[in-house]
């Protein structure tokens, strides 16, 4: 049976109609799973230890979400948090950032330090305060700040250390101390995420060394925004592993 002339004439229009239906199906997929961008301000600590797990959860959920990470500055990005240019900030506590009364915060990680060192002192297998202060130090700057909690603590007890150099990442600091006898103070929970070669001693810090928290911070006025709610939900899922 051969198609009629009339059926042949309407075939292009039927094909156009089918193509339009297929395009509508693709559009509906985007309607039900629209692309989203979450904007976060955070230090390297977050990028190393938490960000991969967030992305793993989003991938498992087939979420059409991407994350933009802005390096944490010396101060919290207050204006950006209030107007929604940044959904959530992550900073250190307690008390290392001035918190505005219109901000809400939640501590999600508690951590302390190890001292990674290639500076050898005879008969020393622990990092006491004299050992610590005698060693040259490499200072990581995973967030932008003129001061840090360790030098603040040393100042309180009337001691100081010599900074050999600073570097922008923890791994860069580790690479430096493999070449030069020096010490690096690093959060304990970051050790599994870094490449620490043989020959670098991992010691407990001097008594009284500061501890810290990683805090999740957002604008109170945006507590019910979808990005803030979804991020907080994911962080709560991760809390048992942090």
């Amino acid at each position: 049976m051969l198609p009629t002339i009339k059926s042949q004439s309407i075939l292009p229009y039927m094909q156009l109609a089918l193509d339009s239906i297929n395009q509508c199906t693709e559009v509906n997929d985007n309607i039900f799973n629209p692309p989203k961008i979450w904007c976060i301000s955070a230090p390297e600590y977050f990028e190393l230890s938490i960000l991969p797990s967030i992305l793993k959860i989003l991938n498992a959920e087939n979420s059409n979400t991407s994350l933009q990470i802005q390096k944490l500055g010396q101060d919290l990005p207050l204006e950006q948090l209030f107007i929604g240019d940044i959904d959530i900030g992550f900073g250190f506590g307690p008390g290392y950032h001035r918190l505005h009364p219109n901000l809400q915060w939640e501590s999600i990680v508690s951590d302390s330090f190890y001292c990674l060192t290639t500076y050898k002192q005879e008969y020393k297998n622990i990092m006491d305060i004299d050992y610590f202060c005698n060693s040259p130090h490499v200072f990581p700057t995973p967030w932008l700040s003129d001061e840090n909690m360790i030098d603040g603590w040393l100042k309180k007890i009337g001691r100081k250390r010599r900074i050999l150099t600073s570097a922008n990442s923890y791994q860069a600091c580790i690479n430096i101390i493999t070449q030069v006898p020096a010490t690096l103070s690093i959060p304990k929970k970051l050790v599994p995420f870094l490449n620490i070669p043989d020959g670098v001693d991992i010691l407990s810090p001097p008594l009284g060394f500061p501890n810290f928290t990683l805090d999740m911070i957002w604008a109170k006025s945006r507590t019910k925004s979808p990005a803030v709610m979804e991020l907080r939900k994911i962080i709560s899922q991760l809390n048992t592993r942090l």
Side-chain angles (χ1 to χ4, degrees):
M1 183 175 180
L2 297 174
T4 65
I5 294 175
K6 183 176 181 180
S7 64
Q8 286 179 322
S9 66
I10 66 172
L11 181 60
Y13 301 99
M14 294 180 65
Q15 185 62 53
L16 180 62
L18 289 171
D19 291 342
S20 297
I21 292 171
N22 290 333
Q23 289 177 2
C24 288
T25 302
E26 293 174 2
V27 170
N28 283 335
D29 287 341
N30 284 332
I31 290 174
F32 291 113
N33 189 20
K36 295 173 287 186
I37 298 176
W38 294 345
C39 298
I40 294 172
S41 174
E44 188 188 12
Y45 188 105
F46 168 86
E47 294 179 300
L48 287 171
S49 62
I50 299 175
L51 178 59
S53 297
I54 292 177
L55 294 173
K56 182 178 180 180
I57 289 174
L58 292 174
N59 182 66
E61 295 175 350
N62 294 316
S63 173
N64 195 8
T65 303
S66 59
L67 274 64
Q68 291 184 355
I69 310 299
Q70 173 182 301
K71 188 172 184 178
L72 178 66
Q74 182 170 350
D75 297 311
L76 294 171
L78 296 180
E79 183 176 352
Q80 291 172 287
L81 285 166
F82 291 143
I83 66 177
D85 284 350
I86 291 178
D87 296 300
I88 280 184
F90 291 86
F92 294 114
Y96 295 111
H97 302 287
R98 289 184 301 170
L99 292 181
H100 192 280
N102 291 329
L103 291 178
Q104 188 70 38
W105 64 275
E106 178 183 351
S107 294
I108 60 171
V109 179
S110 295
D111 206 349
S112 53
F113 287 92
Y114 279 131
C115 291
L116 275 57
T117 189
T118 52
Y119 179 76
K120 312 295 185 182
Q121 281 201 341
E122 193 174 2
Y123 308 122
K124 295 280 188 176
N125 57 8
I126 61 171
M127 183 68 76
D128 62 24
I129 189 63
D130 291 328
Y131 187 172
F132 184 83
C133 292
N134 288 339
S135 171
H137 286 259
V138 179
F139 171 40
T141 55
W143 59 295
L144 302 174
S145 176
D146 294 332
E147 298 181 353
N148 64 86
M149 61 187 80
I150 295 171
D151 289 311
W153 170 70
L154 287 172
K155 185 176 180 180
K156 287 180 181 178
I157 63 173
R159 304 295 294 262
K160 61 181 180 179
R161 59 178 177 166
R162 180 169 71 90
I163 301 296
L164 183 65
T165 188
S166 62
N168 287 330
S169 70
Y170 294 110
Q171 190 63 57
C173 290
I174 292 171
N175 295 346
I176 290 169
I177 68 171
T178 62
Q179 303 299 315
V180 180
T183 295
L184 163 65
S185 299
I186 192 169
K188 284 185 177 181
K189 291 183 178 180
L190 291 190
V191 168
F193 303 104
L194 295 164
N195 179 22
I196 303 174
D198 295 339
V200 175
D201 292 332
I202 302 176
L203 305 178
S204 297
L207 291 175
F209 214 72
N211 299 327
F212 67 93
T213 60
L214 183 71
D215 299 340
M216 180 169 56
I217 303 157
W218 65 95
K220 290 180 179 178
S221 61
R222 302 195 67 250
T223 297
K224 298 297 183 181
S225 73
V228 172
M229 291 178 67
E230 290 181 55
L231 272 166
R232 291 181 62 201
K233 179 182 177 181
I234 291 174
I235 293 296
S236 69
Q237 294 177 44
L238 296 176
N239 264 350
T240 57
R241 298 178 239 165
L242 298 177

